[in-house]
Amino acid sequence: MRVMRTCKEMGIKTVAVYSTADKESLHVRFADEAVCIGPPAGKDSYLNIKSIMAAAEITNADAIHPGYGFLSENAEFAEICADYKIKFIGPSPEQIRQMGDKITAKETMVAAKVPVVPGSGGLITDIKAAKKVAKEIGYPVILKATAGGGGKGMRVVNNESEFQKAFETAQMEAGASFGNDGIYMEKFIEEPRHIEIQVAGDQYGGACHLSERDCSIQRRHQKLVEECPSPFMDSKLRKRMGAAAIKATKFINYEGVGTVEFLVDKHKNFYFMEMNTRIQVEHPVTEESMDFDLIKEQIKIAAGEKITGKEYLPRLHSIECRINAEDPDKGFMPSPGKIETFYTPKGHGVRIETHAYSGYTISPFYDSMIAKVITYGRTREEAIAIMKRALDEFIVVGIKTTIPFHRKLMDHPDFISGNFDTKFLEKEKLV
Ligand code: MV4
């Protein structure tokens, strides 16, 4: 729906694809045409490249917008689109691959002179050698899966006696989750903030950045709240991080919008973590803060337009709360089912993204996010005040949601002061 809104504004006709589980979803009604691509399970529909290509062929589509999740960072899919002469709205298969493998991504950033966390500098093949490097950089260290991202196959190692076992578990978890058990090591950055820079690059090597998003409020590597600008940011740090992100973008001739993720320590040192080669869930805070349509930019870049190359700075403060069909009182257990009443907040400073409505059934097959509440104001205080009243105004009857969790978070002194890092939700008894 987000993509189709911009397409309509640009005079572009749209085709929705849907699984049988999503027959009643709003995106099916919003599109000019809709094609059913299979049964509920992802592998049979939204991950089924053959069905999707068939839908594109029969509707004579010029381009595919991959959204986020599913095939949005699948190099093989981008390759098949190219074979079919259908424009994949996003980077090239090579660029997706280069950033998809985390060791390759890190090596690329070293070559681009973007700061990275010191570590094994590649795959760990010899535990004895890795332990020696760990001693040099100093414990704690963190082991990560090269095929990973988002926390799976990650282990923190506090001292040498823990190394062997941590390495074996990380390797096993990575092998089971990704079919690739490659592990690398980094110095563990204590109490980091997760700050990411939104970038855009065109087909001619031009690139710009659109400031940052702070995504430090996470639970088990799932982001819950994002904001732009970061309360931790100052114009000097933004210049340094922005320049590093543009260096990364230009170095790989990146085409499309993307995100360069950094870990930032309390001394404002920043380190490249990963690059996301898709539009992200949290993109609306950038759009509202900067008054800039990122989907329009994606489509223009895909159509061969040049970006203007200027730097975009935050004008308003914007915050997003992800509303999930989960019960925060029961460890965020999924809560699918029929929504009897769904009334979304409205009014000045509020933007809602959702596919749900009164009478809609949240299926258990997919991600539990059912809505995003985005607020914006002239200051962070104003954005928080609007968020509080918006969350109070949101009525969902029939399923449990994370709305009460967000409402409590908005009253937490450390959230209000901006004094939080990625450990915040583990330390606080909010969840
Ligand atoms: C780290 C780190 C500390 N030091 N790397 C978590 C997900 C994955 N993308 C990378 N992650 C981390 N990498 C080093 N060298 C701490 C984390 C981390 C984290 C990062 C961002 C947001 C939330 C997090 C929660 C726990 C750990």
Side-chain angles (χ1 to χ4, degrees):
M1 289 185 55
R2 167 70 192 87
V3 173
M4 288 190 299
R5 285 194 173 107
T6 288
C7 286
K8 284 186 186 178
E9 290 166 16
M10 296 175 81
I12 298 167
K13 286 246 166 82
T14 58
V15 180
V17 292
Y18 65 98
S19 76
T20 53
D22 284 344
K23 197 164 60 90
E24 307 297 332
S25 186
L26 277 186
H27 79 289
V28 175
R29 287 197 237 171
F30 258 64
D32 294 299
E33 288 177 71
V35 181
C36 182
I37 51 166
K43 66 170 180 23
D44 299 322
S45 49
Y46 299 111
L47 290 169
N48 184 340
I49 296 178
K50 281 193 185 127
S51 303
I52 292 168
M53 296 320 294
E57 289 248 284
I58 59 168
T59 55
N60 202 17
D62 299 313
I64 295 180
H65 192 297
Y68 39 73
F70 293 119
L71 296 170
S72 58
E73 293 184 297
N74 185 307
E76 191 200 339
F77 179 61
E79 224 155 48
I80 292 170
C81 287
D83 292 344
Y84 276 69
K85 305 266 181 294
I86 290 170
K87 179 68 184 168
F88 176 86
I89 301 177
S92 69
E94 296 72 38
Q95 291 161 348
I96 297 174
R97 279 204 185 94
Q98 205 169 9
M99 291 300 142
D101 182 86
K102 303 310 167 196
I103 290 176
T104 309
K106 226 180 137 176
E107 283 168 356
T108 307
M109 290 307 128
V110 172
K113 297 191 161 58
V114 172
V116 301
V117 188
S120 58
L123 220 55
I124 297 177
T125 49
D126 173 1
I127 294 196
K128 233 178 104 186
K131 282 182 179 170
K132 194 162 163 268
V133 175
K135 207 175 239 162
E136 281 162 22
I137 62 178
Y139 285 95
V141 296
I142 184 167
L143 303 173
K144 297 183 176 182
T146 188
K152 251 198 206 135
M154 251 176 44
R155 280 288 174 291
V156 179
V157 188
N158 292 298
N159 53 61
E160 192 168 303
S161 71
E162 291 177 12
F163 199 102
Q164 179 85 21
K165 193 164 168 265
F167 180 75
E168 282 164 11
T169 9
Q171 202 172 36
M172 238 174 37
E173 212 174 289
S177 314
F178 313 114
N180 172 351
D181 68 0
I183 299 290
Y184 65 106
M185 175 177 71
E186 287 182 345
K187 169 132 190 93
F188 183 71
I189 308 295
E190 314 262 4
E191 300 177 359
R193 296 184 76 119
H194 172 133
I195 300 180
E196 54 188 35
I197 306 286
Q198 175 71 55
V199 294
D202 63 27
Q203 296 177 13
Y204 316 98
C208 69
H209 81 79
L210 295 107
S211 300
E212 76 282 0
R213 292 183 289 263
D214 195 314
C215 308
S216 299
I217 306 281
Q218 306 195 2
R219 180 184 175 273
R220 298 192 180 167
H221 307 295
Q222 292 292 324
K223 294 169 185 169
L224 295 175
V225 177
E226 304 94 348
E227 58 184 303
C228 174
S230 165
F232 193 67
M233 191 54 79
D234 58 61
S235 57
K236 202 174 134 216
L237 180 60
R238 183 178 292 120
K239 270 212 163 66
R240 287 162 58 215
M241 290 180 70
I246 289 179
K247 245 200 278 186
T249 309
K250 287 195 171 169
F251 190 80
I252 62 168
N253 269 313
Y254 186 79
E255 177 196 333
V257 310
T259 301
V260 187
E261 292 185 354
F262 293 99
L263 287 174
V264 184
D265 71 17
K266 53 179 170 292
H267 310 295
K268 303 207 166 171
N269 297 309
F270 61 89
Y271 307 93
F272 170 82
M273 196 162 40
E274 356 189 306
M275 180 169 186
N276 298 310
T277 56
R278 61 171 190 280
I279 190 82
Q280 287 182 281
V281 169
E282 61 270 28
H283 76 276
V285 295
T286 300
E287 295 190 324
E288 297 310 327
S289 172
M290 235 80 60
D291 188 20
F292 187 97
D293 184 334
L294 284 164
I295 304 293
K296 195 180 208 171
E297 192 70 4
Q298 282 189 303
I299 295 170
K300 281 161 61 176
I301 290 167
E305 282 192 35
K306 279 189 180 170
I307 58 163
T308 56
K310 72 178 236 245
E311 180 186 48
Y312 296 89
L313 295 173
R315 299 196 315 182
L316 298 179
H317 198 103
S318 181
I319 301 178
E320 171 178 275
C321 290
R322 298 189 187 193
I323 311 302
N324 293 344
E326 293 170 357
D327 187 349
D329 292 333
K330 295 204 173 111
F332 288 74
M333 188 170 76
S335 176
K338 187 171 177 185
I339 301 175
E340 301 298 340
T341 307
F342 193 75
Y343 177 83
T344 59
K346 293 169 178 69
H348 184 65
V350 179
R351 166 175 169 184
I352 303 292
E353 297 287 340
T354 185
H355 62 293
Y357 52 89
S358 292
Y360 181 74
T361 299
I362 302 297
S363 91
F365 298 105
Y366 310 119
D367 193 275
S368 63
M369 188 173 67
I370 60 164
K372 309 187 234 184
V373 180
I374 304 107
T375 65
Y376 44 93
R378 267 175 299 196
T379 61
R380 187 167 188 270
E381 292 66 42
E382 210 168 87
I384 293 174
I386 298 172
M387 184 61 79
K388 287 190 198 177
R389 78 97 176 136
L391 293 168
D392 285 340
E393 205 172 303
F394 208 149
I395 303 172
V396 183
V397 181
I399 59 165
K400 296 278 190 217
T401 76
T402 50
I403 293 169
F405 161 83
H406 285 296
R407 186 61 189 82
K408 269 190 264 176
L409 178 64
M410 292 300 130
D411 277 334
H412 195 290
D414 290 345
F415 181 77
I416 293 168
S417 68
N419 170 31
F420 53 80
D421 57 54
T422 54
K423 285 277 163 338
F424 175 72
L425 290 185
E426 281 172 49
K427 285 190 290 215
E428 296 307 314
K429 288 283 159 275
L430 259 172
V431 294

